[in-house]
Amino acid sequence: MNHRADLVTDGPLWKAYCALLASALLSFGCTPEPETHDVDWPVYLGDSGRTHYSELDQINRDNVASLELAWVYDSGEPSGTMYTSPLVVDGVFYGLSPKLVPFALDAATGEEIWRNETLDLPGAAQRGLMWWEGNSDRRILFAAGRELIALNADDGQLVQSFGEGGRLDMRPKENDRGGHFGLTAPGVVFEDKIITGFTTAEWADSFPGSIRAFSAIDGELVWQFNTIPASGGRGSETWAEGSLAKAGGANAWTAMTLDEERALLFVPTGSATPDFVGAPRLGDNLYANSIVALDARTGEYRWHYQVMRHDLWDRDNPSPPTLVQLERDGKTIDAVTLTTKSGHLFVFDRETGESLHPIFEAETAMESSMPGEVTAATQPISSIAFSRQTFEVTDRTPEARAAVLEKIKDYDIRPWAPPKVGTILLFPWYDGGAEWGGSAFDPATNRLILNANDVAGPLTLSEIPVGFSKAGSYAQHCGSCHAPDFSGTDAGPSLVGVIERLGYSETLAIIKEGKGRMAGFAHLEEHVLGGIAQHLLQPEPVIDEPTTEVTYAHCCYVYLRDHEDLPGNTPPWGTLNSIDLATGEIVWKVPFGNFPTHPDLGFGAVNYGGPVVTKSGLIFIGATPDRKFRAHDTRDGSILWETELTAAAFSTPAVYSVAGKQYVAIAAGGGRMGPPSGSEYFVFSLP
């Protein structure tokens, strides 16, 4: 006989019975079954606010030490490096191989759903993808060099109605600059628009910066904001007369940030070109080195703040801004942060652009030895510095100190020293301070979590004599083995896309030092080495006319090293930081990572890639050259778990759940600072 037949399942007796049963289960230490819905990671860096934050808390401080490998996916032949942070939507994991082969996997098992190897794209560094959907149309978009690619998310096939058969050439049509053009960070997806910046060359042939919105449906241009102002337009008064016609750069090469509720786009811009030589572009050079707020629907200007005037040191803004909140005088303020290569944090009111922490004006006027150069009289300095601002020679060993002192004996090491024919010292160096990995916002504490670099770098200019040609230098020293069109011969491999595959610095190092059968060209002058590398930046050879006047070349993007190839300044060399956004105080700072050659120093290392913070108080981050992937405690930065990958994870993690189970994913691409290149995605979960 059924003694419970009277408990009708929608009546009061049934509800009382359920409550009694739940109470009994709890008394025996039982807990309800976990939720089984999926939590996606559908946007680069977690959301359009670039907060690097996950609400998931199944993995926490108490159990993270038990984290284990759930699955691993080898995306293809390693080539250069792989920076991609994957997307996860509806239980499907989307990523890119080092050669930009797109794929989709079961996010719980790693089983391949589709993979498209028919696109024949140039292998290039790409930090992530974009997701757009409308009605039943679901698309994955990503950039490959100058092209924006649109794929059907369900089968990986090109969307024929977008651009030219699923591919859109993004090069600006209004000018004929021949410099490098590409996009290495995902754009912003807003309504039916894909909003992007781009990367360009560092010298006089670079494209002038612009922010453009393309239709996500067909690729047509919707709006454009020019970060190099038109003559007579807003900001043009900050440029010397006649300089705007040839100006380039001021481009947004890193990711931008969107406040969806306000439809406000926050754009971090780079330096104007030519880098390091400012005489052709005298003045403050708006909108270079700025954060610019735009209406995301129209591209209309709202406000800006320029964090460096007349940049001579390649201090372009490298990091996506982060949407944050902070408490002040009992009020919650919606703010946006900007972290810089100089190691400073700026915090602005999103609506007005008002700075929420003091900014000081530093006297920076110095006489320059470069013809026609005039340095900025003052520079704005944030009161919040997360990287050191004063260079000190390493004291690691007497030998290291002696080696560095010998190297810098002829350097100009004054802060704000203008570039010259010869060498000055940058501190922090070209790659920060902050870099493109960006910052994470912890809403539980209103703190910003960010990793930073603390090393110095030499900035060297050399004079290029009349009659010099980049194409001529390549033809003389490289053309016979690698062919005038870069296609390769029996004596040497193809060099098509070599800069995108290996990066500028590594390519330059190979030209100088040699590799395999190829002898090095260290005997060549720096401007010749740099000219060859710049010639290879083009997707196809561009024949430049020999120079008719003296110009200048920069070499190279390296940091100052001692006799053991370790940084030449005092440690720490890489740090992980927590900053209280209300007060501007650094709550904690810990050395971050190690160099593989010295794995036990504990002094930190140069790092690339960003953190993710979870609701449970964990920071997941790779980024270091020692190939480690770690979980840190948000309270004090202590390491709670770590594992070693097959290659360094110079990327940002993704955190998601499928059927109630939480996963943490990271791309291990390596390829920088000595470790091997990799092509594997590692995904971890609890047992």
Side-chain angles (χ1 to χ4, degrees):
M1 182 177 179
N2 183 359
H3 295 285
R4 294 289 154 222
D6 59 330
L7 297 184
V8 180
T9 57
D10 61 354
L13 288 177
W14 175 257
K15 293 177 181 177
Y17 173 71
C18 290
L20 184 63
L21 178 62
S23 177
L25 287 171
L26 288 172
S27 70
F28 283 102
C30 298
T31 56
E33 288 295 314
E35 296 183 18
T36 58
H37 67 285
D38 295 351
V39 175
D40 294 341
W41 191 264
V43 182
Y44 177 61
L45 305 181
D47 56 41
S48 297
R50 313 305 187 197
T51 63
H52 303 230
Y53 179 74
S54 171
E55 283 280 352
L56 293 171
D57 59 4
Q58 185 180 92
I59 303 170
N60 55 51
R61 295 183 181 110
D62 294 331
N63 61 26
V64 68
S66 301
L67 213 58
E68 63 182 25
L69 187 65
W71 55 265
V72 61
Y73 178 74
D74 190 342
S75 66
E77 181 181 350
S79 174
T81 192
M82 178 176 67
Y83 297 128
T84 306
S85 179
L87 300 185
V88 179
V89 182
D90 294 336
V92 179
F93 183 106
Y94 300 93
L96 297 169
S97 78
K99 294 188 176 180
L100 299 188
V101 174
F103 59 84
L105 314 173
D106 183 309
T109 66
E111 181 179 354
E112 195 171 283
I113 298 172
W114 57 255
R115 180 181 175 92
N116 190 339
E117 299 194 21
T118 68
L119 301 177
D120 191 29
L121 299 174
Q126 177 51 248
R127 298 186 181 105
L129 310 94
M130 295 163 278
W131 173 272
W132 175 86
E133 61 180 301
N135 298 323
S136 59
D137 192 354
R138 294 153 36 98
R139 298 181 182 180
I140 284 289
L141 301 102
F142 65 94
R146 68 193 189 197
E147 288 188 311
L148 184 59
I149 309 297
L151 303 178
N152 184 311
D154 297 324
D155 60 15
Q157 298 304 302
L158 288 164
V159 178
Q160 295 299 316
S161 59
F162 182 87
E164 297 290 332
R167 307 168 78 132
L168 175 68
D169 188 334
M170 294 183 290
R171 286 177 299 178
K173 306 298 189 293
E174 65 271 17
N175 61 62
D176 57 356
R177 302 284 176 94
H180 171 70
F181 181 94
L183 180 62
T184 57
V188 165
V189 179
F190 181 59
E191 296 174 346
D192 289 340
K193 293 176 279 293
I194 308 294
I195 309 173
T196 74
F198 57 81
T199 63
T200 187
E202 307 280 1
W203 292 94
D205 58 352
S206 67
F207 286 89
S210 61
I211 309 303
R212 293 173 298 164
F214 299 97
S215 165
I217 299 169
D218 58 18
E220 290 295 316
L221 184 66
V222 178
W223 58 254
Q224 177 168 325
F225 176 85
N226 294 320
T227 54
I228 299 284
S231 180
R234 181 192 289 111
S236 63
E237 70 280 1
T238 68
W239 295 75
E241 186 176 353
S243 62
L244 281 169
K246 295 183 179 180
N251 52 301
W253 61 266
T254 193
M256 298 176 290
T257 299
L258 175 69
D259 182 330
E260 295 184 18
E261 183 179 342
R262 294 176 171 85
L264 264 181
L265 180 74
F266 299 101
V267 179
T269 62
S271 49
T273 60
D275 270 355
F276 314 114
V277 180
R281 51 175 178 85
L282 294 180
D284 285 351
N285 304 145
L286 281 176
Y287 290 95
N289 304 88
S290 300
I291 180 170
V292 184
L294 305 176
D295 186 309
R297 291 193 174 95
T298 65
E300 181 182 357
Y301 168 91
R302 292 290 186 86
W303 59 263
H304 81 276
Y305 189 88
Q306 188 176 36
V307 297
M308 178 162 287
R309 306 179 184 112
H310 191 60
D311 182 10
L312 301 176
W313 306 273
D314 194 30
R315 293 299 203 198
D316 44 317
N317 288 318
S319 307
T322 305
L323 298 190
V324 300
Q325 291 183 319
L326 58 93
E327 300 290 333
R328 182 168 290 175
D329 299 328
K331 287 181 55 180
T332 298
I333 302 174
D334 289 342
V336 59
T337 65
L338 183 72
T339 54
T340 69
K341 284 185 176 180
S342 64
H344 290 96
L345 170 65
F346 293 84
V347 186
F348 303 100
D349 183 293
R350 291 185 216 171
E351 290 273 9
T352 65
E354 176 191 0
S355 177
L356 299 176
H357 289 283
I359 298 174
F360 305 100
E361 290 291 329
E363 298 288 336
T364 56
M366 288 193 185
E367 186 176 350
S368 172
S369 60
M370 300 295 290
E373 183 63 271
V374 180
T375 63
T378 63
Q379 294 286 1
I381 306 296
S382 170
S383 57
I384 307 173
F386 53 84
S387 292
R388 287 168 293 158
Q389 301 299 301
T390 304
F391 170 74
E392 296 177 334
V393 177
T394 180
D395 55 6
R396 186 176 63 85
T397 67
E399 294 80 10
R401 182 175 180 81
V404 173
L405 286 171
E406 177 62 25
K407 280 188 177 182
I408 68 172
K409 64 182 182 181
D410 295 324
Y411 291 6
D412 187 339
I413 63 172
R414 295 174 298 165
W416 303 105
K420 64 176 184 176
V421 175
T423 304
I424 67 168
L425 192 67
L426 288 183
F427 187 77
W429 74 312
Y430 307 94
D431 287 2
E435 252 301 317
W436 54 263
S439 310
F441 174 58
D442 182 2
T445 58
N446 286 355
R447 294 177 185 172
L448 196 71
I449 306 296
L450 73 156
N451 49 303
N453 293 319
D454 268 87
V455 299
L459 192 169
T460 302
L461 294 183
S462 57
E463 188 175 279
I464 302 175
V466 172
F468 173 77
S469 162
K470 291 179 284 189
S473 297
Y474 171 85
Q476 179 181 354
H477 300 290
C478 312
S480 60
C481 289
H482 299 284
D485 63 355
F486 307 159
S487 62
T489 70
D490 291 341
S494 167
L495 296 179
V496 175
V498 65
I499 300 283
E500 291 183 327
R501 292 197 306 275
L502 301 181
Y504 186 90
S505 296
E506 185 172 343
T507 302
L508 191 61
I510 291 173
I511 296 170
K512 190 171 185 176
E513 300 165 11
K515 185 175 182 180
R517 293 187 303 163
M518 177 185 138
F521 290 89
H523 60 284
L524 297 178
E525 294 180 276
E526 296 288 359
H527 71 270
V528 178
L529 295 168
I532 294 170
Q534 289 171 42
H535 184 62
L536 290 169
L537 274 170
Q538 319 305 324
E540 54 190 37
V542 174
I543 307 303
D544 59 322
E545 294 295 326
T547 57
T548 57
E549 57 185 29
V550 172
T551 53
Y552 302 91
H554 164 257
C555 188
C556 306
Y557 291 100
V558 296
Y559 58 84
L560 178 67
R561 305 170 190 252
D562 66 19
H563 67 304
E564 293 185 89
D565 279 340
L566 291 173
N569 56 282
T570 52
W573 303 316
T575 62
L576 187 63
N577 304 268
S578 175
I579 303 176
D580 185 317
L581 289 167
T583 65
E585 294 178 358
I586 296 178
V587 180
W588 53 256
K589 177 190 290 285
V590 295
F592 180 49
N594 282 294
F595 289 99
T597 56
H598 296 72
D600 301 317
L601 279 182
F603 290 162
V606 174
N607 52 88
Y608 300 92
V612 168
V613 167
T614 69
K615 184 179 180 179
S616 56
L618 299 176
I619 304 164
F620 286 104
I621 186 166
T624 55
D626 52 17
R627 299 191 288 180
K628 297 294 180 65
F629 184 40
R630 299 177 171 94
H632 295 256
D633 193 324
T634 56
R635 294 174 298 190
D636 57 13
S638 59
I639 298 172
L640 300 177
W641 169 85
E642 68 177 19
T643 188
E644 186 167 321
L645 308 175
T646 52
F650 298 131
S651 55
T652 301
V655 179
Y656 63 94
S657 72
V658 179
K661 189 174 183 65
Q662 182 179 346
Y663 298 88
V664 182
I666 191 77
R672 303 184 73 131
M673 295 185 285
S677 293
S679 58
E680 292 176 309
Y681 287 79
F682 290 86
V683 179
F684 299 89
S685 65
L686 294 173

